[in-house]
Amino acid sequence: MLQPLIDWLYGLPFVQWLIKLAPRFHTAFVEADRWQMYLKGLVITFEITLVSIAMGLVLGLFVAMVRTAHDQQRPGRRNPLLGVVNLICKVYTTVIRGTPMMVQILIWAFVILRGERNKVMVGMIGMGVNAGAYISEIIRGGLMSVDPGQSEAGRSLGLGYFDTMRFIIIPQAFKNILPSMGNELVTLFKDTSLVNAIGAAEMTYYANRIGGKTYDYMPPLIGIACIYLFFVIILTWLQGKLERRLAQSDRR
Amino acid sequence: MIDVKHLSKSFGDNLVLDDISEHIHPGEKVVVIGPSGSGKSTFLRCLNLLETPTAGTITFDGAEITDPKADINNLRRQMGMVFQHFNLFPNMTIRKNITLAPVRTGLMKQAEAEEEAMALLRRVGLEEKADAYPAQLSGGQKQRIAIVRALAMKPKVLLFDEPTSALDPEMVGEVLEVMKELAREGMTMVVVTHEMGFAREVGTRVLFMDGGKILEQDEPHAFFAHPREQRTIDFLSKVL
């Protein structure tokens, strides 16, 4: 009774195509234990993401604090050193945000750090410096989004600039910037695939190589696309959870 | 206690304070009134340098706070400020709001500060709110907490910037009550307000400001009974 239906399904071109796919994916992922290469690449992808987001946070926080501190100086009491550092920070964000990340990575690998063999490290530096510029603007926006009355209240209690930042402004800014930071993390995670262009062995690099070796690019590329998507969904979910936890002080 | 000499403040071309000289004595409750835009809030905010004066000097307890080398943080510790919009820290519990500054500035140890916070909260009848967040409080409760937060630093003077203007009418009373009690205890206070009843009842001196100047001042009963300047008479006839 079911047999005709099964025969009919089997005869469909789409199903035929699916059945032929199985061996292709088998070649791309299982044969010669190739899945280990994706795994190795995925670990490197995570390493690059983590190191560059950490670098970006440090750079970004520094630049954001310099730029807000500079803008908040009381007239007549301007610090000349802060002025110079502020100018450097401005040039940095303008150059980094005004040029393509791909070009920056190529410049790091083939101009600035030409002799460096460790391409993964070069990729981390390129991406970290890039992330710093974007994160600094995210943090700066976050700091500015906090009501000026908060800083006034902190300062009028006798707290210094850094204590006011640390206990009052940054925790509130953190909540405001979390969505944009999550986006930055997701973008960075996906953009690690760019460093395969300089020969850093992350996941895209291996997928590309396997595609070349087996003369079949579709299975490895679709495969890693699914892996990227999977982790992006997980990251987004974690971000949502964190946001809900930080909303604790908003409940009434 | 606070000595203001030839204080001027302008924002760009806009002259907000025009050569003000004034002295605030210990124990005084100075109430500053005047139409909006008269510069009364700016005057108050200059006293603890939330606004930087364009010209003039302010001396607090013998120290010139307008001196660029003055330790402004140390001076601000001794001058509490209460804002129109409370400015409680929404990311902290009430307890933390009150204890943060005394602990971080080294005035008290954590345990001592918490004890002090609870004692102050009991005084304003809000001890059960110690672990609540500001968002869970009414406006009147927030402002009472803001006063407690300023008091926790044991300031020598309290500055109030329109403390009841952002409150629903039925909450004004509870905040004024706390302020009256402080006044009775001898706290030196400078209060910018629109509450004429408070000015009359609590003030030891009323300053009337308009156009960046102190137009007229007097002891409250005389001030309200016999205003001298035409501008003051017009203003009082509108608000009383």
Side-chain angles (χ1 to χ4, degrees):
Chain A
M1 153 119 196
L2 270 174
Q3 198 56 43
L5 183 67
I6 292 172
D7 287 344
W8 175 76
L9 270 175
Y10 202 79
L12 285 175
F14 174 68
V15 175
Q16 283 291 313
W17 179 72
L18 272 182
I19 290 166
K20 278 189 213 131
L21 270 186
R24 288 170 70 187
F25 273 92
H26 185 270
T27 311
F29 285 89
V30 184
E31 213 177 86
D33 280 339
R34 292 205 173 100
W35 57 272
Q36 289 180 348
M37 294 173 82
Y38 296 96
L39 196 64
K40 230 163 78 186
L42 183 63
V43 171
I44 299 291
T45 291
F46 274 123
E47 280 178 17
I48 298 174
T49 311
L50 287 179
V51 172
S52 54
I53 195 94
M55 253 178 86
L57 273 173
V58 173
L59 272 170
L61 192 62
F62 175 78
V63 172
M65 297 225 359
V66 166
R67 297 209 46 196
T68 43
H70 177 268
D71 294 347
Q72 283 171 1
Q73 284 182 108
R74 286 194 272 149
R77 292 187 67 178
R78 295 204 174 275
N79 182 336
L81 178 69
L82 194 55
V84 174
V85 180
N86 180 59
L87 188 69
I88 295 172
C89 291
K90 258 178 154 167
V91 171
Y92 162 66
T93 48
T94 308
V95 170
I96 295 293
R97 299 201 310 154
T99 54
M101 167 129 70
M102 184 80 247
V103 175
Q104 289 168 28
I105 290 173
L106 293 174
I107 289 176
W108 279 107
F110 302 123
V111 181
I112 302 173
L113 300 172
R114 201 169 30 210
E116 177 58 53
R117 285 256 214 53
N118 186 347
K119 295 300 181 194
V120 170
M121 198 188 74
V122 174
M124 285 170 176
I125 293 173
M127 300 215 33
V129 168
N130 181 283
Y134 285 94
I135 291 176
S136 79
E137 288 297 296
I138 294 173
I139 294 179
R140 204 164 71 92
L143 294 178
M144 288 193 304
S145 73
V146 178
D147 174 12
Q150 291 290 310
S151 153
E152 286 178 358
R155 299 305 301 274
S156 69
L157 284 165
L159 294 171
Y161 176 77
F162 287 102
D163 269 3
T164 305
M165 275 290 176
R166 177 173 157 206
F167 294 103
I168 299 162
I169 309 298
I170 292 178
Q172 292 182 54
F174 185 71
K175 205 158 59 180
N176 296 345
I177 65 181
L178 204 68
S180 327
M181 280 304 258
N183 289 340
E184 180 63 23
L185 180 65
V186 164
T187 307
L188 215 54
F189 172 67
K190 290 181 298 180
D191 285 353
T192 52
S193 61
L194 290 176
V195 302
N196 102 85
I198 59 169
E202 44 69 69
M203 194 164 61
T204 307
Y205 174 88
Y206 283 116
N208 227 340
R209 256 187 42 181
I210 291 166
K213 192 158 190 171
T214 57
Y215 304 107
D216 191 3
Y217 280 95
M218 192 278 275
L221 290 180
I222 297 294
I224 61 165
C226 292
I227 298 174
Y228 281 117
L229 182 62
F230 173 74
F231 284 104
V232 167
I233 290 171
I234 298 240
L235 281 174
T236 314
W237 176 72
L238 283 175
Q239 182 194 352
K241 269 191 86 144
L242 187 57
E243 271 171 39
R244 278 190 292 281
R245 257 193 54 189
L246 285 173
Q248 194 187 28
S249 61
D250 294 336
R251 77 207 143 110
R252 277 156 207 273
Chain B
M1 179 171 243
I2 304 179
D3 193 34
V4 179
K5 282 200 182 101
H6 303 297
L7 172 68
S8 292
K9 170 74 186 175
S10 43
F11 295 103
D13 292 334
N14 187 11
L15 186 65
V16 182
L17 295 180
D18 185 5
D19 192 22
I20 291 181
S21 294
E22 193 53 63
H23 193 91
I24 291 152
H25 299 276
E28 266 198 305
K29 293 100 186 71
V30 176
V31 180
V32 186
I33 62 171
S36 50
S38 60
K40 51 193 194 306
S41 276
T42 309
F43 172 65
L44 192 77
R45 289 162 58 85
C46 277
L47 294 182
N48 71 349
L49 247 51
L50 282 182
E51 303 291 351
T52 314
T54 315
T57 59
I58 300 167
T59 312
F60 172 65
D61 248 10
E64 193 192 316
I65 64 175
T66 38
D67 183 345
K69 287 191 284 293
D71 181 358
I72 183 62
N73 292 335
N74 187 33
L75 290 159
R76 280 177 178 150
R77 273 164 216 166
Q78 304 169 44
M79 312 172 102
M81 178 128 184
V82 176
F83 299 87
Q84 180 177 2
H85 295 286
F86 333 126
N87 296 352
L88 293 181
F89 308 133
N91 54 323
M92 301 171 200
T93 60
I94 299 309
R95 189 194 306 271
K96 191 82 204 291
N97 261 278
I98 301 170
T99 57
L100 177 73
V103 172
R104 287 302 302 175
T105 57
L107 185 70
M108 297 176 204
K109 294 260 185 302
Q110 184 68 41
E112 193 189 342
E114 286 192 15
E115 221 168 276
E116 175 74 21
M118 287 316 289
L120 286 166
L121 283 174
R122 259 192 297 281
R123 265 182 58 181
V124 297
L126 289 171
E127 68 266 42
E128 79 280 7
K129 299 291 185 191
D131 294 308
Y133 284 95
Q136 296 162 291
L137 271 51
S138 74
Q141 291 172 331
K142 282 186 208 173
Q143 195 61 299
R144 282 186 281 160
I145 301 286
I147 295 172
V148 162
R149 181 176 68 177
L151 283 176
M153 288 300 290
K154 304 196 181 302
K156 292 179 183 159
V157 52
L158 269 183
L159 312 175
F160 292 84
D161 187 5
E162 303 200 23
T164 56
S165 300
L167 296 176
D168 289 343
E170 78 264 32
M171 292 172 181
V172 170
E174 61 191 66
V175 171
L176 290 181
E177 211 40 62
V178 173
M179 291 170 63
K180 282 177 199 168
E181 203 191 312
L182 279 174
R184 276 196 293 275
E185 287 165 13
M187 175 63 79
T188 310
M189 296 160 73
V190 183
V191 187
V192 170
T193 187
H194 294 294
E195 294 291 328
M196 298 304 148
F198 177 84
R200 206 190 300 248
E201 192 180 334
V202 180
T204 54
R205 187 151 59 106
V206 179
L207 307 184
F208 176 76
M209 284 187 72
D210 190 34
K213 287 179 188 295
I214 296 172
L215 273 193
E216 148 163 34
Q217 57 170 298
D218 209 337
E219 171 278 316
H221 292 284
F223 178 87
F224 288 108
H226 312 289
R228 291 182 296 265
E229 301 280 336
Q230 189 54 43
R231 190 68 193 85
T232 318
I233 296 167
D234 291 347
F235 176 77
L236 289 178
S237 72
K238 277 180 205 138
V239 296
L240 287 179

